[in-house]
Amino acid sequence: MALPALGFAGSLRFAWTQLTSMRTALMLLLLLAVAAVPGSLFPQRPAGPEIVDQYLEENPVQGEWLDRFQMFDVYSSVWFSAIYILLFVSLIGCVFPRAVKHAKDLRSAPPRTPRRLSRLPEYGKVVLEPRGPSPAEAVAEAARILKKRGYRTQIRQEPDGGASVGAERGYIREIGNLLFHFSLIGVLAFMAVGGLLSYSGQKIIVEGEGFANTLVAYDSFTPGSAFSEDRLAPFSMTLDGFEAEFDRESETHYGQPLDFTAHMTVQDGTDGEPRQQELKVNHPFDIGGTRVYLVGNGYAPEVTVRDGNGDIAFEGPVVAQVQDQLYTSLMVIKAPDAQPDQLGFVGFFLPSAYTGEDGVAVSVDPELYNPELNLNSYYGDLGLDSGEPQNVYVLDTDELSELNNRNLEAGGITLQPGESYDLPEGKGSISFDGVQRYVGLDIHYDPGKWGVGFFSVLALVSLVVSLFVRRRRAWVRGAAGPDGSTMVEYGLLARGEDFGLREENVSLRRQFEKSWPVVAPEAENSPTPASTPASSTASTTPNRPE
């Protein structure tokens, strides 16, 4: 038996059907999570290109193959983008047809009333006294009660002259399910927007210095895939002062930091009015749609370096890298303009220096109680004239000659504010002029973060709705009994598992008994689950009641 060929159009239709199935969407979501793992195992170029270069130098063979498969650019790689786009398309193709179908269901009438309500999982019957309402009036009242309980109702006339009402509620469950998947699409879309248009930069500002939001002003900068320099918002800021508060009362935590506050003057745009702004840890401020975070601070000793000719080769504050909680800070000073030889210095800045019996100076407090510089000096070629980029916080001493060291006859350089030191061999001098504070800032711009946050919250709320809202159907039929009294029977059916269906039965009966003069029910007429054969049939075919 030969099967008919699908043809080109049929193959495309089959591929689209497979791609837009919920099973495929879940598989792609899992595959996306797996594909993101290499991004945490290998260094990424957007986060640190110098680390990638170092990895390639240390692992030339392995690194070359990893680079071919874009393992150092995982989140912008072809294969990761392909999975991301396929997941996006799959979710759209999954959600929108279901949304259209559900919109039609919302406009459709509740299902018709089954002929035998007693076959439903929950069933009850009440008989009204002769002075009670007619069957049509009882059904109208039942419809009002059901509508008050959140059901969508429709009254129908029965062939035998009676009346019935069909009711259904819980449509919001499917709406919650659709909103959850729609929220996933929103999260993916705004994450893509953030990945394309966002940027992140770092900047160190010394007291009294300013910063303008231009590309060349950043110390390091990580742009998005589609970033353009034109998207940099025009703003500027100046560090007016910095305050650090340390614990001075506790015996066990003495000297630990309690609070940091940077006092800044910020100006939005070139024509904006300057305003004062406080910046604290975990309390960023927004300017020009960009968020500024305080992530670090330290000391910047002011030094002046003169060369062998007596000319100033370097002058100004030098950012010292904090090494511990006592603010022992590593310092590197480079003076490439010194003549006749370039000069370099490396050592430590100690905010509160104390020299022990071994002659080694250490810092005993983070405050400026006894600031001191301890430096070694070098001369020679610093390697800056070659044009190759260097780390400003590292001094390569392999090609330099040492002038000062505690193990040499000249000894190391020890300076306190206001002191100067003449270098050996007439190479120049260095003076310690004072100390400034500096702050380290993280500057982030992400146009997609608000969308990601909104759709994440919407997804959580929608998930709760879809998990806890139950889809239920109810029918009430009114008919005339043999003695002319009105008999009302009702049945309940749940779409899916619903442990609260029994309580709904009891609640409806209470409402009916409050609304109508009801004859005391016999034992068999009290609300009980349907008999096992009928109940089993109704439960296995809940969408096709007779």
Side-chain angles (χ1 to χ4, degrees), residues 465-480:
V465 170
S466 64
L467 289 177
F468 291 98
V469 173
R470 302 299 178 187
R471 187 90 177 263
R472 294 172 181 172
R473 290 173 175 174
W475 295 273
V476 180
R477 175 183 288 121

Side-chain angles (χ1 to χ4, degrees), residues 43 69 91 251 320 348 378 425 429 451 453 468:
F69 289 102
L91 285 173
E251 296 182 0
F348 289 95
Y378 301 84
E425 303 178 17
S429 65
F468 291 98

Side-chain angles (χ1 to χ4, degrees), residues 255 381 437:
D381 185 6
R437 296 299 301 255

Side-chain angles (χ1 to χ4, degrees), residues 501-532:
L501 198 61
R502 176 63 177 172
E503 286 73 13
E504 182 73 4
N505 185 348
V506 175
S507 298
L508 277 177
R509 187 178 186 88
R510 289 199 189 101
Q511 291 285 336
F512 294 157
E513 290 177 349
K514 289 180 181 179
S515 301
W516 306 318
V518 178
V519 177
E522 297 178 359
E524 70 238 28
N525 290 334
S526 59
T528 58
S531 58
T532 52

Side-chain angles (χ1 to χ4, degrees), residues 48-91:
E50 67 283 350
I51 303 179
V52 176
D53 294 339
Q54 182 180 353
Y55 186 92
L56 291 173
E57 290 179 4
E58 297 174 354
N59 305 274
V61 178
Q62 178 185 355
E64 180 183 357
W65 281 98
L66 289 173
D67 203 12
R68 288 182 181 180
F69 289 102
Q70 298 179 299
M71 289 298 175
F72 304 120
D73 301 275
V74 168
Y75 306 112
S76 59
S77 64
V78 174
W79 46 272
F80 188 87
S81 300
I83 298 172
Y84 196 94
I85 294 173
L86 284 175
L87 175 60
F88 193 78
V89 173
S90 178
L91 285 173

Side-chain angles (χ1 to χ4, degrees), residues 125-457:
K125 181 173 68 175
V126 293
V127 179
L128 309 187
E129 295 180 358
R131 60 186 177 86
S134 65
E137 294 173 340
V139 169
E141 179 66 18
R144 186 189 65 80
I145 293 173
L146 289 170
K147 187 174 294 186
K148 192 175 181 180
R149 294 181 66 84
Y151 287 86
R152 189 166 57 90
T153 63
Q154 185 180 51
I155 299 176
R156 303 182 178 93
Q157 297 300 317
E158 295 287 312
D160 57 359
S164 67
V165 58
E168 189 169 11
R169 78 174 185 183
Y171 284 97
I172 194 175
R173 176 187 177 92
E174 181 65 14
I175 293 176
N177 196 1
L178 291 171
L179 281 178
F180 173 74
H181 291 89
F182 177 74
S183 300
L184 292 182
I185 297 174
V187 169
L188 290 175
F190 279 97
M191 284 181 64
V193 170
L196 291 171
L197 304 179
S198 64
Y199 65 82
S200 175
Q202 291 72 43
K203 177 63 179 177
I204 291 178
I205 305 179
V206 180
E207 282 180 323
E209 293 184 354
F211 166 80
N213 192 31
T214 58
L215 198 57
V216 296
Y218 284 91
D219 295 329
S220 61
F221 191 82
T222 305
S225 304
F227 170 78
S228 172
E229 189 174 353
D230 297 335
R231 301 190 64 87
L232 289 173
F235 67 84
S236 60
M237 49 189 173
T238 302
L239 179 63
D240 300 324
F242 182 81
E243 296 179 359
E245 181 181 350
F246 299 96
D247 189 350
R248 299 305 181 191
E249 297 180 358
S250 172
E251 296 182 0
T252 57
H253 300 85
Y254 185 87
Q256 287 195 355
L258 298 178
D259 188 32
F260 298 118
T261 305
H263 301 280
M264 311 193 73
T265 299
V266 299
Q267 182 177 355
D268 196 347
T270 56
D271 301 328
E273 192 69 24
R275 68 179 189 274
Q276 302 302 311
Q277 184 76 51
E278 282 191 354
L279 181 62
K280 291 178 175 289
V281 178
N282 297 327
H283 291 82
F285 66 80
D286 291 319
I287 177 172
T290 306
R291 180 155 287 195
V292 180
Y293 297 84
L294 176 62
V295 295
N297 68 88
Y299 294 103
E302 296 177 297
V303 299
T304 300
V305 177
R306 295 181 179 273
D307 61 15
N309 298 330
D311 299 324
I312 296 178
F314 177 86
E315 184 179 26
V318 179
V319 173
Q321 288 184 296
V322 177
Q323 304 295 305
D324 55 31
Q325 291 187 348
L326 298 175
Y327 279 62
T328 301
S329 304
L330 177 65
M331 279 195 64
V332 172
I333 306 172
K334 299 179 183 180
D337 296 331
Q339 296 295 332
D341 297 299
Q342 296 179 344
L343 299 176
F345 303 83
V346 62
F348 289 95
F349 168 72
L350 308 176
S352 297
Y354 170 77
T355 303
E357 295 180 357
D358 56 357
V360 177
V362 296
S363 180
V364 295
D365 197 275
E367 289 278 16
L368 287 174
Y369 291 138
N370 184 31
E372 184 177 278
L373 281 179
N374 289 266
L375 302 173
N376 296 336
S377 65
Y378 301 84
Y379 74 94
D381 185 6
L382 298 178
L384 297 175
D385 297 334
S386 63
E388 295 183 5
Q390 288 189 10
N391 190 336
V392 296
Y393 301 110
V394 176
L395 179 65
D396 186 1
T397 60
D398 293 340
E399 303 297 329
L400 299 177
S401 300
E402 196 167 27
L403 286 172
N404 288 96
N405 187 306
R406 60 181 298 178
N407 296 322
L408 297 179
E409 182 179 353
I413 302 174
T414 301
L415 293 174
Q416 292 189 336
E419 294 182 348
S420 298
Y421 178 84
D422 292 328
L423 299 176
E425 303 178 17
K427 297 296 183 181
S429 65
I430 181 173
S431 60
F432 183 12
D433 304 325
V435 182
Q436 296 278 12
R437 296 299 301 255
Y438 73 83
V439 295
L441 304 179
D442 256 1
I443 303 171
H444 291 272
Y445 173 74
D446 186 356
K449 63 181 178 180
W450 300 113
V452 171
F454 171 78
F455 282 107
S456 298
V457 173

